[in-house]
Amino acid sequence: MILYYVVLPSTNNIQKQHILAAAASSSESHDTNDSHLASEYGRLDSKTWMFRNKYPIAYEVATGLDVDIENDADVVPILLLNGFGVGSFHQHSLMRQILMLEQSEDEQRRRRQQQRERKRRHVIYGIDYLGQGKSWPENCNDGNSEDELNLGYSADMWLDQLKGFIDEVILTLPSSSSSSSSSSSSSTSDEKKVHLVGNSVGGYLSTILTRRHPHRIASLTLMNATPVWGLNLPGWDGKLPAPPFPKWVGRQMFDLIRDANVIDKYLEAAYAHREAFDGTCDDSFDREEGTTMDDDDDDDDDNNDETLGTKIRGCTAGRGGHAAFASILWSAPASDPTTGATTDFYGALGKLPADVLLLFGSEDAWCTPAVAKRMHATLADRRGGVDGDGDGGGDGDGGGDSPAERYVSVENAGHCPNHEAPAAVASVLLPWIGASRRSKATLVSSERSRIKEQWGDAVLREVSIEESRNLGMVDRIVSTMVG
């Protein structure tokens, strides 16, 4: 379970130098362009944003080729949040699929000659948490540098990072969601808000973030969200530098789990299809349709010649990873900003005023369907019990003020459906985000809808609230054990 909840935070020195050089190239801006990739469906820009005017944060923006996010007033922002141990590269396939579907919708509108219908342009963000992927303090030195002093890699710190990113980068767009002019457009309540999509610990963070700042969130999608945070070990608050014993433990455990064979075993447990992570399937943003890794021998900036395990391993070579790992092991779960008390995941989930979609791979050994059903039932119990600022983006149900909750199961995918089944996820995500009433939107076309992935067909099934409430004794025990 430790390998599952806390995995592989570090960086590559070459990547870090690239980021720092880009950040230093402009003393007047907190947001810099680093590089970009292009495909027939859109472009992917790699950028850097300065968190707290101190820490360079790597992020990516995927858009259609005809989108100008600085000037277009009708864009719909989506923020994809990763699990532990990966960077935004884990979202490239999903970004690509979203833009493919967007282009397909545009072509269908043209064929129907519905030019007056408002076109929704999705702007998709991926971000690396500080202490993960390419986002690191300058001059890392095993927790002992001036830039690492008093830095704690905690849930609260990452939540502050995400709030700052939304406020300073995403919500500075001319308009952050389309307004409603037809039945296919998003609700006007989605304006100046972002759609959050969180996988694994990204689901944990996005839930707490939505609870804290509902007026910034248009909708929330949880993909195999983990309802707990780390280990919260006693004796240290996680702020660097680490005391001798936590430092030793962090070093030993980090070196163990960054072993290539251990990474491979973890991915085998997390995925239902080995070919989705072993290099058989091409997960790059700019791959050509119909190709696999074996079809493409070219090297490019998207690292499409690497397996997922190689990419993860490549993120562990810097001088900050051991200290960051120890800090995460000892850091506390998210806290209430007012009282300082620990925030309970299910308590927060049950008070969200936003529309929430559960999109879970069913072949997950950790966040099982029983866990998803417990979340589904918790969300359904919000009716009449939601609090907040009254501006959470809920579409209501049956004419009331209750927000929507839906649960779609990806029947043959594991813990990371965003990466293992991106076409299936995108096919559900876009109608969910674009619906004027998400409680009534058609998310799955049939009782068991089949969506083609590179490894075969993914199967989608919507789970009713009656099924979710009808948990057996074993499932109740399992769902309680995981959070």
Side-chain angles (χ1 to χ4, degrees):
M1 296 296 279
I2 292 174
L3 295 181
Y4 164 51
Y5 289 122
V6 186
V7 162
L8 303 172
S10 191
T11 189
N12 181 283
N13 284 330
I14 296 175
Q15 294 171 331
K16 183 173 71 174
Q17 292 167 6
H18 174 66
I19 293 168
L20 296 180
S25 66
S26 173
S27 59
E28 299 178 355
S29 174
H30 294 299
D31 191 7
T32 61
N33 278 293
D34 295 353
S35 61
H36 79 271
L37 294 168
S39 74
E40 59 183 306
Y41 303 106
R43 59 179 286 145
L44 180 68
D45 291 297
S46 298
K47 299 188 176 187
T48 302
W49 163 71
M50 297 302 291
F51 172 44
R52 297 177 179 170
N53 295 320
K54 182 177 182 179
Y55 305 114
I57 301 298
Y59 74 97
E60 295 182 305
V61 187
T63 64
L65 294 173
D66 61 344
V67 176
D68 178 4
I69 64 173
E70 300 297 332
N71 298 301
D72 287 353
D74 196 27
V75 297
V76 182
I78 304 170
L79 176 56
L80 307 179
L81 298 182
N82 314 314
F84 275 117
V86 295
S88 57
F89 60 80
H90 203 228
Q91 309 286 1
H92 286 177
S93 289
L94 179 55
M95 291 173 169
R96 181 178 183 277
Q97 290 294 330
I98 291 172
L99 295 178
M100 282 179 59
L101 284 182
E102 179 182 84
Q103 186 178 101
S104 176
E105 289 178 357
D106 286 348
E107 292 173 353
Q108 291 176 19
R109 275 194 294 268
R110 285 194 292 269
R111 285 197 295 269
R112 296 195 304 263
Q113 297 182 341
Q114 293 177 328
Q115 299 299 330
R116 290 180 298 174
E117 185 175 314
R118 185 188 296 271
K119 292 192 298 184
R120 293 177 287 116
R121 288 293 185 235
H122 300 94
V123 180
I124 311 156
Y125 294 85
I127 188 171
D128 293 358
Y129 312 126
L130 183 60
Q132 304 263 289
K134 299 179 182 179
S135 296
W136 288 84
E138 299 183 36
N139 306 312
C140 285
N141 184 25
D142 201 22
N144 296 309
S145 72
E146 182 178 349
D147 294 313
E148 297 168 289
L149 182 64
N150 291 321
L151 177 61
Y153 293 100
S154 66
D156 283 337
M157 185 272 285
W158 283 353
L159 288 164
D160 286 345
Q161 174 193 330
L162 294 173
K163 175 183 176 295
F165 181 73
I166 290 172
D167 288 348
E168 297 178 26
V169 178
I170 298 179
L171 295 187
T172 59
L173 298 177
S175 176
S176 292
S177 269
S178 60
S179 58
S180 179
S181 63
S182 72
S183 60
S184 64
S185 296
S186 298
S187 168
T188 55
S189 65
D190 286 357
E191 288 195 41
K192 284 296 180 185
K193 297 181 182 180
V194 60
H195 296 271
L196 281 184
V197 181
N199 173 231
S200 190
V201 76
Y204 171 90
L205 293 169
S206 59
T207 298
I208 307 302
L209 188 66
T210 303
R211 176 74 180 101
R212 289 184 181 182
H213 310 289
H215 58 286
R216 292 174 170 86
I217 310 304
S219 74
L220 173 62
T221 299
L222 301 179
M223 292 187 290
N224 296 73
T226 58
V228 296
W229 169 270
L231 297 180
N232 192 21
L233 297 176
W236 175 43
D237 63 3
K239 293 184 179 179
L240 300 175
F245 180 68
K247 183 175 182 178
W248 179 83
V249 171
R251 179 166 293 277
Q252 297 302 312
M253 292 187 62
F254 183 69
D255 285 340
L256 171 65
I257 66 170
R258 66 191 291 267
D259 178 81
N261 290 327
V262 173
I263 294 172
D264 189 72
K265 292 297 183 184
Y266 166 78
L267 292 174
E268 275 194 340
Y271 282 70
H273 300 86
R274 182 176 180 84
E275 54 267 45
F277 70 83
D278 70 357
T280 302
C281 301
D282 187 347
D283 63 357
S284 60
F285 177 81
D286 57 346
R287 75 175 177 89
E288 295 182 7
E289 189 65 19
T291 64
T292 65
M293 293 287 283
D294 294 335
D295 299 324
D296 190 353
D297 294 327
D298 295 332
D299 293 332
D300 58 36
D301 291 336
D302 203 16
N303 294 322
N304 64 5
D305 59 339
E306 295 181 323
T307 67
L308 179 59
T310 303
K311 292 177 183 178
I312 293 174
R313 171 71 179 173
C315 289
T316 67
R319 292 181 58 81
H322 294 91
F325 192 77
S327 177
I328 291 172
L329 287 176
W330 262 264
S331 67
S335 62
D336 186 297
T338 303
T339 66
T342 297
T343 299
D344 174 70
F345 175 87
Y346 283 100
L349 191 69
K351 295 180 180 178
L352 297 182
D355 298 333
V356 182
L357 168 66
L358 303 175
L359 190 52
F360 272 56
S362 66
E363 301 300 314
D364 188 341
W366 306 296
C367 293
T368 64
V371 174
K373 290 176 180 178
R374 181 184 175 190
M375 293 182 188
H376 193 196
T378 299
L379 288 165
D381 288 341
R382 293 178 300 171
R383 305 187 189 286
V386 171
D387 62 8
D389 64 2
D391 190 22
D395 68 16
D397 195 6
D401 295 327
S402 298
E405 66 280 330
R406 307 282 292 275
Y407 170 21
V408 175
S409 174
V410 187
E411 297 282 272
N412 51 349
H415 184 63
C416 306
N418 56 306
H419 185 264
E420 185 170 10
V425 168
S427 74
V428 176
L429 195 59
L430 280 192
W432 164 260
I433 287 174
S436 58
R437 293 196 64 190
R438 298 185 183 97
S439 58
K440 305 297 183 183
T442 300
L443 303 182
V444 180
S445 60
S446 60
E447 185 174 343
R448 292 179 63 85
S449 179
R450 306 182 75 87
I451 305 294
K452 183 175 179 57
E453 304 287 352
Q454 291 185 74
W455 43 260
D457 288 347
V459 178
L460 296 171
R461 180 178 74 90
E462 181 154 12
V463 179
S464 68
I465 187 58
E466 290 77 19
E467 179 181 339
S468 290
R469 291 193 189 279
N470 190 29
L471 278 180
M473 182 61 67
V474 173
D475 283 341
R476 289 180 184 276
I477 294 173
V478 168
S479 65
T480 302
M481 290 174 62
V482 184

